Amino acid sequence: MPVAGVDIGSLSTEVVILEKGKILAGIIVSTGANSKVAAEKAMQMALEKSGLARDNLQYIIATGYGRVSAPFAHEKVTEITCHGRGAFSLDSGVRTVIDIGGQDSKVIRLNSRGKVVDFVMNEKCAAGTGRFLEVMAHALEMDLAEMSRLAPLARKTVTISSMCTVFAESEVVSLIAEGYPREEIVKGIITSIVERTVSMANRVGVEGTLMMTGGVAKNAAIVKALQESLGIKITVPQEPQVVGALGAALLAEEGLEKKEG
Amino acid sequence: MLDLIKKYMAREKGPDMLRRPAIYSLGQAMVRYNLLKFPYRATAMMVEYGLEQTKKVYNRRLPFVWTSAFFPTELLHAMGIPAFSPEIAAALAASLGFQGNFLREAESRWWGRDNCSFHRCAIGGLFSHYYPLPSAFCASSHLCEGAVLMFGSLARVYHRPFMLLDVPVEQEDDSLNYVIGQLKQIISSLEEITGITLQNGKLQEAVANAEGTRRAMQEINELRRHPYSPLTSREAFSYLYLNFTGLGSRAMLRVYETLARELEERIREKKTPEKPLRFKLLWLHLPPFYRNNILEYLEEKGARVVFEEFNHVYWGAMDVSRPLESIAGRMLSHFSYGHISRRIEIIKELAADYNVDGVIHFSHWGCRQSCGSLRMIRDSLQKEGLPFLVLDGDCIDNRNYAPGQVQTRIDGFLEMLA
């Protein structure tokens, strides 16, 4: 019985279709201005990829900040539970999950059964999130891949002292004008994200295997800096961005099983 | 009717009516003739009393004082001096939706947004002449240092006396006498400022009222453990007005005795239908007072806040024959003052008494004493197997409120409890 998980984030929307634990389709699209449209589009693409029709899906769980914008979902579950569930399914040794998404970041602690036992989320602003990284990349006139590539080349780190995304952007513009090498500025941006993430991780305490999920996990320089700062190896799944949707799909399978008794 | 009042207050000149004593007389008449609806007779009595007290301070015929949250109001009731609580006034402004005017006024006078919004709102209310200028500012050092600094500052600005009751953090053998000595000094200063002499009989009467209130509060708290208890957390929080300003008054005693009888009757008659309840929760610190649905959202999800730390009766029996000792003892026994272990032990006791599944701490922006020990509270609760959620927010300034983010945290917490 196929089921689906939909993760509607602020920057991207993901859909995973599962059947008996096997992934039939995984789709990532930009959310854009209308999360409802993005959810519909991602779902349609996933259905096409899996060769299924909407009616074939027996249970759908929506997650992410836009979970309320998915009228086709049977249930809504937070991204906290979904990322925890998704990460645990990929590695049952995972006890800590760092998820840095488009507009929020969180650290989740799991027990030996994969159940969430604690979590912390970033404060209200976008500092330390994917959006922060995007804005800084824009100020530096480079893409995220180039940022990741440039960071290891830096000999020094320029300190980015502003926590606010808007102020940090101005600071980066000033640093460029002052002639600081771009790689040093990139390193400074990464350090700023890492410091915020590490303090959150320390609040819940890091145990067991640490997995990083969410779009920012694709940035190798940030993962490396986090590893160095935390002093622990970080596991990054093949496609970290769909872990929330995968968790939602797994929970949908469980929900369906319960429903069918 | 309340919506009409809120609509009126939202107008630019809406808060002007606050300054007119006649408006409070009108309010009292509306309460008396049941034109305003309240969930309990006790609530109506409290509102009528609150309107009477507020009318007195706006009449400006009698001396009155500003008091910080935990100042010993028994002294004031014994002397017949009305107390104006700026923190309660801020909560009321937020609940009526015009706190923004006062916050902006304070901020435009260099009171930065990093300061506690209860105090910013109070300052803005006073600077813009909506809140009444008192004969004196009376603060106690427990629990809130922000109030002490604000009162001291306003006293200098407005050339009014500032009275500080210094309650020692570390309690030693002589702490009780130290506080008693200061109470005597404060009484003497109040007598001098107001021309009212404190009679010992009146002080004993105030302490007897406070003791009766303590017993009624304990009775209410016991009744709230019952599965048919109808008192919602939102309603329970509304009685904070009395806790901050009324102790020692006959009115507060009557309100709480009435509430106890009403709860008892409703529980006996099972007037409140038992709702399916998935989780029982304990609330630490205060909730936001502007329009929000946090407590109702929890109820909707089958989770109920069954008790609040602020409604805990932390002080022991008061001895009418030794009024000042009793008041000083109450000051020294505050649940959240002194070593953090005291607060933690009380939280653990309350969690056990009310058999809760989890604990929520609402961390009010700028409130150091409530937020400063979160790590220790969390660790202790986790040792007891009690999940703990910290909701960062602001009780007064709704610019610091992000409903979607709060909802995600609550949903995540409830999923964790499931």
Side-chain angles (χ1 to χ4, degrees), chain B residues 305-316:
Chain B
V305 173
V306 291
F307 199 65
E308 312 78 26
E309 180 187 29
F310 260 65
N311 280 315
H312 166 56
V313 180
Y314 55 87
W315 66 100

PDB file of all heavy atoms in Angstrom, chain B residues 305-316:
ATOM      1  N   VAL B 305      -3.171  22.380  30.945  1.00  0.00           N
ATOM      2  CA  VAL B 305      -2.321  22.883  32.028  1.00  0.00           C
ATOM      3  C   VAL B 305      -3.160  22.751  33.300  1.00  0.00           C
ATOM      4  O   VAL B 305      -4.169  23.433  33.456  1.00  0.00           O
ATOM      5  CB  VAL B 305      -1.900  24.347  31.785  1.00  0.00           C
ATOM      6  CG1 VAL B 305      -1.175  24.897  33.000  1.00  0.00           C
ATOM      7  CG2 VAL B 305      -1.018  24.430  30.546  1.00  0.00           C
ATOM      8  N   VAL B 306      -2.771  21.825  34.151  1.00  0.00           N
ATOM      9  CA  VAL B 306      -3.587  21.554  35.340  1.00  0.00           C
ATOM     10  C   VAL B 306      -3.157  22.398  36.538  1.00  0.00           C
ATOM     11  O   VAL B 306      -3.893  22.513  37.513  1.00  0.00           O
ATOM     12  CB  VAL B 306      -3.578  20.055  35.714  1.00  0.00           C
ATOM     13  CG1 VAL B 306      -4.334  19.242  34.679  1.00  0.00           C
ATOM     14  CG2 VAL B 306      -2.156  19.538  35.903  1.00  0.00           C
ATOM     15  N   PHE B 307      -1.960  22.980  36.453  1.00  0.00           N
ATOM     16  CA  PHE B 307      -1.539  23.864  37.541  1.00  0.00           C
ATOM     17  C   PHE B 307      -0.433  24.795  37.062  1.00  0.00           C
ATOM     18  O   PHE B 307       0.265  24.501  36.099  1.00  0.00           O
ATOM     19  CB  PHE B 307      -1.065  23.068  38.758  1.00  0.00           C
ATOM     20  CG  PHE B 307      -1.053  23.897  40.020  1.00  0.00           C
ATOM     21  CD1 PHE B 307      -2.238  24.383  40.552  1.00  0.00           C
ATOM     22  CD2 PHE B 307       0.138  24.239  40.638  1.00  0.00           C
ATOM     23  CE1 PHE B 307      -2.238  25.191  41.691  1.00  0.00           C
ATOM     24  CE2 PHE B 307       0.144  25.037  41.781  1.00  0.00           C
ATOM     25  CZ  PHE B 307      -1.047  25.511  42.307  1.00  0.00           C
ATOM     26  N   GLU B 308      -0.321  25.920  37.776  1.00  0.00           N
ATOM     27  CA  GLU B 308       0.670  26.927  37.431  1.00  0.00           C
ATOM     28  C   GLU B 308       1.528  27.197  38.658  1.00  0.00           C
ATOM     29  O   GLU B 308       1.008  27.343  39.761  1.00  0.00           O
ATOM     30  CB  GLU B 308       0.004  28.248  37.006  1.00  0.00           C
ATOM     31  CG  GLU B 308      -1.126  28.107  36.002  1.00  0.00           C
ATOM     32  CD  GLU B 308      -2.423  27.634  36.650  1.00  0.00           C
ATOM     33  OE1 GLU B 308      -2.607  27.876  37.861  1.00  0.00           O
ATOM     34  OE2 GLU B 308      -3.247  27.000  35.974  1.00  0.00           O
ATOM     35  N   GLU B 309       2.820  27.288  38.415  1.00  0.00           N
ATOM     36  CA  GLU B 309       3.774  27.571  39.495  1.00  0.00           C
ATOM     37  C   GLU B 309       3.364  28.824  40.282  1.00  0.00           C
ATOM     38  O   GLU B 309       3.495  28.876  41.500  1.00  0.00           O
ATOM     39  CB  GLU B 309       5.138  27.782  38.828  1.00  0.00           C
ATOM     40  CG  GLU B 309       6.283  28.077  39.744  1.00  0.00           C
ATOM     41  CD  GLU B 309       7.547  28.427  38.945  1.00  0.00           C
ATOM     42  OE1 GLU B 309       7.424  28.961  37.823  1.00  0.00           O
ATOM     43  OE2 GLU B 309       8.643  28.162  39.449  1.00  0.00           O
ATOM     44  N   PHE B 310       2.835  29.837  39.575  1.00  0.00           N
ATOM     45  CA  PHE B 310       2.528  31.098  40.234  1.00  0.00           C
ATOM     46  C   PHE B 310       1.327  31.017  41.169  1.00  0.00           C
ATOM     47  O   PHE B 310       1.088  31.932  41.941  1.00  0.00           O
ATOM     48  CB  PHE B 310       2.318  32.207  39.183  1.00  0.00           C
ATOM     49  CG  PHE B 310       3.521  33.077  39.014  1.00  0.00           C
ATOM     50  CD1 PHE B 310       4.694  32.560  38.506  1.00  0.00           C
ATOM     51  CD2 PHE B 310       3.508  34.412  39.381  1.00  0.00           C
ATOM     52  CE1 PHE B 310       5.825  33.344  38.357  1.00  0.00           C
ATOM     53  CE2 PHE B 310       4.633  35.214  39.244  1.00  0.00           C
ATOM     54  CZ  PHE B 310       5.790  34.680  38.727  1.00  0.00           C
ATOM     55  N   ASN B 311       0.530  29.959  41.071  1.00  0.00           N
ATOM     56  CA  ASN B 311      -0.603  29.832  41.983  1.00  0.00           C
ATOM     57  C   ASN B 311      -0.284  28.939  43.182  1.00  0.00           C
ATOM     58  O   ASN B 311      -1.160  28.653  43.994  1.00  0.00           O
ATOM     59  CB  ASN B 311      -1.834  29.300  41.229  1.00  0.00           C
ATOM     60  CG  ASN B 311      -2.513  30.429  40.470  1.00  0.00           C
ATOM     61  OD1 ASN B 311      -2.709  31.516  40.994  1.00  0.00           O
ATOM     62  ND2 ASN B 311      -2.838  30.182  39.202  1.00  0.00           N
ATOM     63  N   HIS B 312       0.954  28.525  43.255  1.00  0.00           N
ATOM     64  CA  HIS B 312       1.370  27.683  44.377  1.00  0.00           C
ATOM     65  C   HIS B 312       1.422  28.519  45.666  1.00  0.00           C
ATOM     66  O   HIS B 312       1.934  29.635  45.666  1.00  0.00           O
ATOM     67  CB  HIS B 312       2.762  27.123  44.040  1.00  0.00           C
ATOM     68  CG  HIS B 312       3.474  26.528  45.194  1.00  0.00           C
ATOM     69  ND1 HIS B 312       2.939  25.520  45.942  1.00  0.00           N
ATOM     70  CD2 HIS B 312       4.681  26.802  45.746  1.00  0.00           C
ATOM     71  CE1 HIS B 312       3.789  25.198  46.899  1.00  0.00           C
ATOM     72  NE2 HIS B 312       4.847  25.965  46.802  1.00  0.00           N
ATOM     73  N   VAL B 313       0.874  27.957  46.741  1.00  0.00           N
ATOM     74  CA  VAL B 313       0.921  28.657  48.035  1.00  0.00           C
ATOM     75  C   VAL B 313       2.231  28.260  48.708  1.00  0.00           C
ATOM     76  O   VAL B 313       2.375  27.150  49.199  1.00  0.00           O
ATOM     77  CB  VAL B 313      -0.284  28.257  48.917  1.00  0.00           C
ATOM     78  CG1 VAL B 313      -0.227  28.978  50.259  1.00  0.00           C
ATOM     79  CG2 VAL B 313      -1.585  28.574  48.201  1.00  0.00           C
ATOM     80  N   TYR B 314       3.171  29.167  48.665  1.00  0.00           N
ATOM     81  CA  TYR B 314       4.533  28.814  49.103  1.00  0.00           C
ATOM     82  C   TYR B 314       4.810  29.143  50.559  1.00  0.00           C
ATOM     83  O   TYR B 314       5.779  28.680  51.127  1.00  0.00           O
ATOM     84  CB  TYR B 314       5.559  29.521  48.202  1.00  0.00           C
ATOM     85  CG  TYR B 314       5.387  31.026  48.117  1.00  0.00           C
ATOM     86  CD1 TYR B 314       5.978  31.856  49.051  1.00  0.00           C
ATOM     87  CD2 TYR B 314       4.626  31.603  47.109  1.00  0.00           C
ATOM     88  CE1 TYR B 314       5.818  33.231  48.982  1.00  0.00           C
ATOM     89  CE2 TYR B 314       4.462  32.975  47.031  1.00  0.00           C
ATOM     90  CZ  TYR B 314       5.049  33.785  47.964  1.00  0.00           C
ATOM     91  OH  TYR B 314       4.879  35.146  47.897  1.00  0.00           O
ATOM     92  N   TRP B 315       3.962  29.954  51.173  1.00  0.00           N
ATOM     93  CA  TRP B 315       4.269  30.368  52.523  1.00  0.00           C
ATOM     94  C   TRP B 315       3.420  29.595  53.538  1.00  0.00           C
ATOM     95  O   TRP B 315       2.337  29.115  53.224  1.00  0.00           O
ATOM     96  CB  TRP B 315       4.086  31.874  52.693  1.00  0.00           C
ATOM     97  CG  TRP B 315       2.660  32.371  52.551  1.00  0.00           C
ATOM     98  CD1 TRP B 315       1.810  32.676  53.563  1.00  0.00           C
ATOM     99  CD2 TRP B 315       1.944  32.623  51.336  1.00  0.00           C
ATOM    100  NE1 TRP B 315       0.611  33.113  53.054  1.00  0.00           N
ATOM    101  CE2 TRP B 315       0.658  33.083  51.693  1.00  0.00           C
ATOM    102  CE3 TRP B 315       2.245  32.501  49.979  1.00  0.00           C
ATOM    103  CZ2 TRP B 315      -0.310  33.425  50.755  1.00  0.00           C
ATOM    104  CZ3 TRP B 315       1.281  32.835  49.043  1.00  0.00           C
ATOM    105  CH2 TRP B 315       0.031  33.299  49.430  1.00  0.00           C
ATOM    106  N   GLY B 316       3.973  29.512  54.750  1.00  0.00           N
ATOM    107  CA  GLY B 316       3.298  28.738  55.793  1.00  0.00           C
ATOM    108  C   GLY B 316       2.246  29.563  56.524  1.00  0.00           C
ATOM    109  O   GLY B 316       1.999  30.719  56.177  1.00  0.00           O
TER     110      GLY B 316
END
